[in-house]
Every structure is written in C-alpha cells, then in structure tokens.
Amino acid sequence: MNDPSLACTSLFRTSSFYAGHWQSSEKRIRVIDPASGEEIGTVPNLSGEETRKAIEFADAEQRRWAKTTGKYRAKLLRNWADLMLLHKEDLAKIMTWEQGKPLSESMGEIEYAASFLEWFGEEAKRTYGDVIPSHRQELRLLALREPVGVSAILTPWNFPSAMITRKAGPALAAGCVVIAKPSELTPFSALALAVLAQEAGFPSGAFQVLTGEPEPIANEFLESSLVRKISFTGSTRVGKILLEKAAKSVKRISLELGGNAPFVVFSDADLKEAVKGAMLSKFRNTGQTCVCANRFLVEQSVLPEFSARLVEAVSKLKVGNGFDEGVQQGPLINSLGFAKLRRHIEDARSRGGKILTGGKPHSLGGNFHEPTVITGVSEDSLCFQEETFGPLAPILGFKTEEDAVRIVNSGKTGLASYFYTTDPARIWRFSESIEAGMVSINEGLLSTEQVPFGGVKESGIGREGSRYGIEEYQELKYLCWGGQDPLADSF
Ligand code: SIN
C-alpha cells in the first residue's frame, strides 16, 4: 500500500463540498489505488437530489459572483494558484496515489494545473467588449461580454487536477460559478482543490465539488434550467450523449473528446529528435492522454532506423509504482484500461504485426504492462482505428506524402497530430492538409496554458486554455442605444 504521508493532512477529504459545507453521505463509492489494487478510501456517491441542492446554491451565488470585478476575481485565482504551488508536493502525492502516474509527472501536472488559474486570472482583467461603428447618427452600438452562468464541469481521471483548473479557471474568471464533478476514479485531487479554493477566498458557492457515479449527477446538470453551461473532457461516446441531452434546454457545451493522434516521420526528419518527441508524446502518463501519439506513420526508407532507435529508448523505460524513485511508467488506471491495451496488442498481432519490444503484462502484475512497440501494423488494426490509451506504439510504413495525408485524415477524430520533417515547404503543406485541432511540428509536447487546446470532427467542440478559452464561458450582449445625437439638426 502507498499511503503517502502528507505535510498538510487537511487536504485529504472524504466528503463532498456543496451547498456551503463539507457533506458526507451514507452511500459511498470506493476509490482504488491503481498500483496496489487496494482501497484508498471512500467518498459520497451523490444522487440527483443532492446535485439539485448544489445547483440551487450555485445559482444564488451566481448573481453575486457575476457582479464582482475582473480584478477581484483575478486576485482570488492568483491566490488559488499560489496555494496549489505551495502545497505542490502533497497535491502530487494525492494524485499519484489515486491515479498512478509517477510522482515527478504529478508534480508537473500541479504546475500545469496552477498555470491555468494564473493565466485566466490575468485574462479576467481583459475581457473587453466592442464599440461598434454605427450605421445611424443617433445610435451607439456596443457589444458586452457577460458570464454564461452556472457552469458544470465533468472531468476525467487522467489529469485529475489540470482538467479541473483548465475549465474552472476561465469559468470563474468570466464570472461564472462552477460545480465540478471529477471522475469517480480520482476524486481526492478535486476535493483537495476545493480546500484550497476556500483558503484562497472564493465564496463557497463559487466552486463546489460533487463526487460519485457520473450518471445521476450529470443527468441533473442536463435537466436543470439553472445550469447554463456544461464542459466535459472524456470519451467521444459520452460526449455525444451529453451533446444530445444538452440540446433539450439549449445549454452551451464544450467537449474535449478522444483523439487518435498520428505521429508522422518523414525521411528527411532528424531521427534523434523524432524519437525524443515520440517518447514524450507516446509515454506521458503511461500513454493515457488524449493527445498521446496513437499511430506511428514512418516513411519506408527510415522505418528500420527509426524503429530500432525507438525500441532502444522504450526498452529502457522503468515501470513501477509511481512513488518509487526513477519510475517513468506507472500502472494503467484499472482493469478495463488494461484489457483494452491487451485487446489492441492481440488484434495487431493477429493482423500481422510484429512485436519489437514488450507485448506482455508486466511481471509486477495487476495493472502494470510492458511498454510495447509493434511494427508492420495494418491500417485496419484496432490500435490504428481507436485510441489505445496505454503504452503501445504501433508502427506502419508509408511511401508518399499523399499516403500519409490520406491515412492521417481517415477516421472520425482530429485532436492532436505530430510530424517530423526538415523541409519548410512540407511543413506548411502538410500542416494545412491534415484535419486536426492541434499540429505539433518537430516537437513531442504541445500542451501549455497559452494555446487553444481542442479538436475538430468527433474530437470535440470549443477550445480550452489561451485567450480564446474564456470565450467558452461568455455570452455577447449587444446594446443598441438610441437618441445619442441631440445636436444633429444644428449642423
Ligand atoms: C487530456 O488528455 O485530456 C489532456 C492532455 C493535455 O492537456 O496535455
């Protein structure tokens, strides 16, 4: 068992935070350490009725919160970010405990998460509207930016803190109160954020955290006319259900859904850099990010050399408990994630794929798996058709740039894509030909708070981070102001 000792034990909460209090419940849900398989603790499994209380409480706060100044909201967001950094180690320990990622990655995620609070706090002061040149002398025309209203955010287990702050940061900055529903697999990071939000000075209705099974809580969000915005990060399957249900009350919705990121290596690429980028992109969070390289497309002439270099790097990865020194790959989140990885490997093998390294469950047992490289994968393999969300790098050779474009654009998703080349003309041409919300050129890590993160096609709607992220939580109000040129007749 991990059981990390925390410097600030009050960050570890087993109650939900809503309607002004930390509240328990008789119905509980177990949270499991993915590394040991042991129970970490339990949290309330909240119902629709309890969710309604949180929504009503949020609605009352919304009226007050919308009237605060951007400067005030910026100050609280900054306080919150600073507190996260102050408690970085404890927050990272909680994250590794419930999510399994190596402690160094959890520390990195806490910094990443805090950066969204800092960034959107700064943006809060700059939510300018427009004065629009008028078509009539006596009219003045304006556009104001107003908060959308109560925002419900549904966040995933793979980034238990950053996906909360990437949504709550812009929402709060825009003047929207937030009800967070973290994944039932990783609620403790979210609850720790609620402790720090209180300490930062947020009113209790500005940031609430509901725990439990997703369906009753999400259904209540969807059915309530008081909730004006839903933001979700997770699977395309669930995103489609939310989109359909949100239509009933015409709610604003942002969806950050699955990807199937291609990683293309052209023959003129710097192969050393390409392998470095591949390792970053593929193996971050044990392959469990929606921007992880999922399909490797390598030009035939460099296929043997790229594969050999990748195998060398992958076979050195240290797998283990995220708390252990030097570990680079933790466990898969649970047996479902593990089973999907196994299915993808078996399927690729059955269609002619050749395992170059890994391929088996790890000797540590449980949810641990060997980082794996398979070559000779066919285009119709499961691992090329859908996200694996695990440490598998399948490789397919291609002959021409046209082939690469066709394969990259096949399929329904378009989130992140990566390619390596040293040809400047190709950089423009290829970037413009591929269907993706994000294109990373000669670089394996594209995520940062300043950029618009999001996808096209079935990978989602809307953008998070960047100066655009706050617009997801704003409505434009047009003011048409008559009688503004009383002296017009005298000229
Ligand atoms: C995700 O996997 O959903 C987010 C990844 C990132 O922010 O880099």
Side-chain angles (χ1 to χ4, degrees):
M1 179 158 167
N2 287 321
D3 196 4
S5 49
L6 302 180
C8 180
T9 50
S10 67
L11 287 173
F12 187 79
R13 297 292 173 121
T14 54
S15 308
S16 296
F17 184 67
Y18 65 98
H21 307 284
W22 289 96
Q23 310 211 37
S24 195
S25 157
E26 270 180 18
K27 286 194 192 144
R28 318 268 313 167
I29 190 165
R30 299 169 73 222
V31 183
I32 305 297
D33 171 355
S36 67
E38 289 177 25
E39 181 178 304
I40 296 174
T42 64
V43 290
N45 191 7
L46 297 179
S47 64
E49 197 184 318
E50 287 146 332
T51 305
R52 217 166 306 137
K53 285 187 193 150
I55 295 172
E56 281 159 14
F57 196 70
D59 181 56
E61 185 60 48
Q62 178 59 48
R63 282 178 266 271
R64 291 186 288 269
W65 187 248
K67 288 197 170 68
T68 57
T69 63
K71 189 166 170 145
Y72 175 73
R73 298 196 292 268
K75 176 146 181 28
L76 299 196
L77 284 162
R78 182 67 205 225
N79 291 348
W80 199 10
D82 288 346
L83 284 165
M84 283 190 73
L85 297 177
L86 187 70
H87 293 282
K88 185 166 95 173
E89 264 184 47
D90 278 352
L91 295 174
K93 283 180 182 170
I94 293 172
M95 188 182 296
T96 292
W97 198 11
E98 65 180 352
Q99 203 277 341
K101 64 177 73 179
L103 194 59
S104 58
E105 280 199 45
S106 295
M107 300 273 247
E109 183 179 335
I110 297 304
E111 284 177 19
Y112 183 43
S115 76
F116 291 109
L117 301 180
E118 182 193 26
W119 171 269
F120 283 109
E122 288 158 356
E123 289 294 296
K125 293 181 269 186
R126 300 186 181 93
T127 59
Y128 304 112
D130 290 315
V131 179
I132 301 165
S134 175
H135 61 304
R136 277 172 34 200
Q137 222 170 26
E138 77 285 11
L139 291 185
R140 295 296 176 268
L141 311 177
L142 300 107
L144 310 182
R145 289 183 183 276
E146 295 193 337
V148 171
V150 174
S151 298
I153 65 172
L154 301 152
T155 59
W157 52 263
N158 63 340
F159 287 89
S161 291
M163 296 306 101
I164 292 179
T165 56
R166 191 155 79 183
K167 297 176 192 302
L172 290 162
C176 303
V177 300
V178 172
I179 310 173
K181 159 66 185 83
S183 164
E184 65 280 18
L185 304 179
T186 55
F188 293 119
S189 293
L191 295 168
L193 288 184
V195 173
L196 297 179
Q198 288 298 288
E199 207 175 317
F202 284 95
S204 50
F207 181 76
Q208 306 181 75
V209 177
L210 303 180
T211 56
E213 302 283 355
E215 229 173 287
I217 299 174
N219 280 339
E220 198 59 41
F221 288 156
L222 287 157
E223 273 157 31
S224 169
S225 59
L226 300 177
V227 173
R228 294 310 314 147
K229 165 87 192 186
I230 303 248
S231 180
F232 169 72
T233 293
S235 71
T236 298
R237 186 189 66 79
V238 173
K240 285 182 184 177
I241 298 171
L242 295 174
L243 186 59
E244 204 177 321
K245 291 193 174 175
K248 220 169 140 192
S249 55
V250 195
K251 284 190 208 315
R252 287 275 297 271
I253 186 157
S254 301
L255 300 172
E256 204 264 273
L257 307 177
N260 180 2
F263 190 104
V264 183
V265 183
F266 288 101
S267 55
D268 56 15
D270 177 335
L271 293 188
K272 190 167 157 232
E273 280 302 308
V275 169
K276 200 169 119 199
M279 295 304 291
L280 268 176
S281 160
K282 175 69 251 182
F283 294 99
R284 177 172 170 230
N285 201 9
T286 315
Q288 302 172 110
T289 88
C290 59
V291 291
C292 273
N294 200 59
R295 325 170 255 168
F296 286 81
L297 302 169
V298 183
E299 198 166 344
Q300 288 288 1
S301 57
V302 289
L303 183 62
E305 190 181 345
F306 175 81
S307 308
R309 285 176 184 245
L310 186 65
V311 165
E312 192 190 341
V314 172
S315 52
K316 284 188 194 140
L317 284 172
K318 184 170 174 192
V319 179
N321 188 312
F323 283 105
D324 292 347
E325 193 65 31
V327 161
Q328 295 157 301
Q329 297 286 282
L332 275 298
I333 185 70
N334 57 20
S335 58
L336 288 177
F338 185 86
K340 185 175 189 191
L341 172 62
R342 291 299 314 150
R343 214 163 44 244
H344 279 199
I345 292 174
E346 287 312 322
D347 173 78
R349 199 160 36 185
S350 73
R351 292 171 198 270
K354 184 170 163 241
I355 293 178
L356 298 182
T357 186
K360 297 190 299 303
H362 197 277
S363 55
L364 286 169
N367 299 324
F368 290 96
H369 198 281
E370 293 176 350
T372 299
V373 179
I374 307 186
T375 193
V377 168
S378 71
E379 252 184 80
D380 58 356
S381 301
L382 283 177
C383 60
F384 253 61
Q385 296 296 321
E386 43 180 76
E387 246 176 355
T388 301
F389 241 61
L392 165 63
I395 307 178
L396 170 72
F398 69 89
K399 288 205 180 84
T400 64
E401 189 177 318
E402 291 69 36
D403 278 348
V405 171
R406 180 190 58 74
I407 299 170
V408 165
N409 290 345
S410 63
K412 295 181 176 166
T413 52
L415 191 61
S417 52
Y418 305 82
F419 69 92
Y420 278 71
T421 179
T422 48
D423 176 352
R426 195 199 316 261
I427 287 176
W428 278 119
R429 199 170 56 234
F430 199 69
S431 298
E432 288 172 3
S433 331
I434 56 181
E435 296 166 354
M438 298 174 279
V439 180
S440 192
I441 306 145
N442 298 332
E443 173 57 46
L445 186 64
L446 48 68
S447 306
T448 167
E449 77 275 18
Q450 305 94 321
V451 300
F453 190 105
V456 298
K457 296 161 79 179
E458 292 194 6
S459 287
I461 297 175
R463 293 294 179 268
E464 297 190 322
S466 81
R467 70 188 172 97
Y468 306 105
I470 199 164
E471 292 172 7
E472 303 285 326
Y473 299 90
Q474 292 174 323
E475 296 284 13
L476 275 181
K477 183 183 272 175
Y478 158 48
L479 269 54
C480 176
W481 189 354
Q484 290 307 301
D485 198 5
L487 300 178
D489 288 347
S490 43
F491 290 100

